[in-house]
Amino acid sequence: MSVSRIRVLTLIGTIIAQFALGSVYTWSLFNAGLAEKLNVPVDNVAFSFGILSLSLALASSISGKMQERFGVTKVTIAAGLMMGAGLLLTAHASSVAMLYLCAGLLLGFADGTGYLLTLSNCVRWFPERKGAISALSIGAYGLGSLGFKYINLALLEHVGLNNTFLYWGAIATVMVVIGGLLMSDAPKQAAGGQRQTNDFTLAEAMMRPQFWMLALIFLTVCMSGLYVIGVAKDIGEQYAGLSFSIAANAVAVIAMANLGGRLVLGVLSDKMPRMRVISLALLSSLLGMTILLFGHMTIMNFYLALGCIAFSFGGTITVYPSLVSDFFGLNNLTKNYGAIYLGFGIGSLCGSMVAALLGGFSATFSVIFGLLALSLLLSLLVKAPNRVPSLV
């Protein structure tokens, strides 16, 4: 089979798998039903998604080692089967503890294993179009949450809560397995057979200050994006004083802006320095935070602020795999980006922790604003590292 055909099949397989993996972001549809089933407060059920996010990030950080040992196809298929098992067990969860284990740890681990592994592998197949490939792959992940929203809503209406988890698990498993079968492991060598001179192992990358600067920027964007997205409706009602219906429409605004950021900034990153694209994303998030902190909370300002933050978050998530490969090489991308991707889980927890400690939206927005300003400065200063001969 020709290399061109292998690359195309891998891209198609990645898009199929990513679409199914993105379905976990429909979780909020099930909070009320599960709370009623388990006879617990909705907040207790909603916490399972926080566990899922952290487990997802942890799995992403070790997926590179799994690929080295077993290959992308086997690990992706295993992730699909694990995802199906997690949803099957969730359907039969009889306690909050079991829900946290099945829908939190197991489902999150399955999703994180498949997400970063397939994304990084596909990017390595297309070194000449890394930004566009990231946009297609992560765009499919984002579209998966939108597509499965309608699938799961229809299932809830026609087959009930427990059976919805079973059907969802079956559909997602089949899609991820088919996607995995279409994929092939990207070659270790760079395009043209030349070894990349900027390839760093994870240990080497972590010795460079650039690694930690990129990690802080990523954590900050994830913290701002995940916190605001997670409480958008509450910001609208409690902070902006808007009606329930107007505040609830924020979900659609966020979804469109998030997808727009993934596509626009992902494609743009192939046409200009990727670090400058991240600077633009940070400026967008800073604008959103400025509106929230200092602007008059009209309907349009509320939607504009959320849109700017979601656009930044979606774009950053898309551009970062390619950016990390620019700094530390393609061959160890899964492991290097996996370590930085821990900021996704940590950032989601940090936003909630800051809000709990400081109380009120204004104080939390102020902390995030400060971190975004610092991250913007770092993005303007950081340069890709040069390999020191003694470390080769």
Side-chain angles (χ1 to χ4, degrees):
M1 191 183 297
S2 68
V3 172
S4 177
R5 182 175 172 81
I6 292 172
R7 295 206 310 171
V8 171
L9 287 176
T10 297
L11 175 59
I12 293 171
T14 300
I15 289 172
I16 293 171
Q18 289 279 345
F19 188 90
L21 292 168
S23 65
V24 297
Y25 286 92
T26 63
W27 185 254
S28 62
L29 298 176
F30 303 96
N31 285 337
L34 285 168
E36 182 180 350
K37 174 188 173 182
L38 300 175
N39 195 27
V40 296
V42 172
D43 288 346
N44 289 16
V45 173
F47 185 67
S48 59
F49 189 75
I51 298 173
L52 184 150
S53 297
L54 184 58
S55 182
L56 189 157
L58 289 171
S60 297
S61 69
I62 64 172
S63 60
K65 288 189 175 295
M66 289 189 280
Q67 182 183 8
E68 283 184 354
R69 183 167 181 179
F70 302 108
V72 68
T73 295
K74 289 181 179 178
V75 178
T76 301
I77 290 174
L81 295 173
M82 197 187 312
M83 185 176 186
L87 290 167
L88 169 66
L89 292 171
T90 298
H92 296 95
S94 57
S95 66
V96 174
M98 187 175 177
L99 184 69
Y100 291 167
L101 178 64
C102 303
L105 290 174
L106 183 57
L107 186 58
F109 193 87
D111 205 74
T113 299
Y115 166 72
L116 186 56
L117 174 78
T118 57
L119 166 64
S120 300
N121 182 70
C122 194
V123 168
R124 282 164 47 203
W125 269 115
F126 295 86
E128 76 283 5
R129 290 194 294 273
K130 292 184 288 187
I133 294 302
S134 290
L136 286 172
S137 179
I138 301 179
Y141 190 79
L143 282 174
S145 65
L146 190 61
F148 270 88
K149 172 188 174 184
Y150 297 105
I151 293 172
N152 286 341
L153 279 173
L155 288 172
L156 282 169
E157 182 180 350
H158 292 99
V159 301
L161 180 67
N162 290 345
N163 285 331
T164 294
F165 285 118
L166 299 179
Y167 285 115
W168 173 15
I171 295 169
T173 297
V174 169
M175 291 183 70
V176 175
V177 169
I178 290 174
L181 290 171
L182 292 174
M183 297 175 201
S184 299
D185 286 286
K188 276 287 184 183
Q189 297 298 317
Q194 298 298 315
R195 182 184 185 276
Q196 290 197 1
T197 58
N198 69 329
D199 270 326
F200 291 80
T201 65
L202 176 59
E204 291 172 335
M206 292 178 74
M207 292 171 62
R208 269 61 179 188
Q210 291 94 331
F211 179 90
W212 300 104
M213 294 165 79
L214 292 186
L216 177 60
I217 294 170
F218 187 78
L219 185 149
T220 299
V221 173
C222 288
M223 178 180 172
S224 62
L226 291 170
Y227 174 72
V228 170
I229 290 170
V231 296
K233 184 177 72 66
D234 303 301
I235 293 172
E237 288 185 293
Q238 300 171 26
Y239 182 75
L242 301 173
S243 68
F244 170 82
S245 60
I246 292 173
N249 286 336
V251 175
V253 174
I254 287 170
M256 290 186 290
N258 194 334
L259 181 60
R262 293 168 191 255
L263 297 176
V264 172
L265 295 186
V267 173
L268 190 62
S269 71
D270 280 337
K271 303 181 183 300
M272 62 185 290
R274 291 189 177 90
M275 205 65 242
R276 297 290 75 81
V277 177
I278 296 300
S279 298
L280 290 175
L282 288 164
L283 277 173
S284 176
S285 200
L286 267 172
L287 174 60
M289 280 296 164
T290 300
I291 295 171
L292 288 174
L293 278 170
F294 309 111
H296 178 59
M297 279 294 96
T298 62
I299 297 173
M300 288 308 300
N301 278 348
F302 172 63
Y303 288 159
L304 178 60
L306 296 188
C308 287
I309 293 166
F311 182 89
S312 170
F313 174 68
T316 299
I317 290 286
T318 301
V319 174
Y320 241 73
S322 302
L323 177 67
V324 172
S325 74
D326 291 343
F327 273 61
F328 303 112
L330 275 169
N331 284 338
N332 297 305
L333 173 60
T334 306
K335 286 183 281 188
N336 291 334
Y337 180 52
I340 288 176
Y341 196 77
L342 285 170
F344 181 93
I346 297 170
S348 68
L349 293 178
C350 284
S352 300
M353 289 172 62
V354 169
L357 288 171
L358 299 181
F361 292 116
S362 292
T364 309
F365 293 156
S366 297
V367 171
I368 294 174
F369 181 90
L371 288 172
L372 286 169
L374 173 61
S375 294
L376 177 60
L377 178 62
L378 291 177
S379 76
L380 297 173
L381 296 175
V382 66
K383 306 292 183 186
N386 293 316
R387 174 173 287 284
V388 179
S390 61
L391 294 176
V392 173

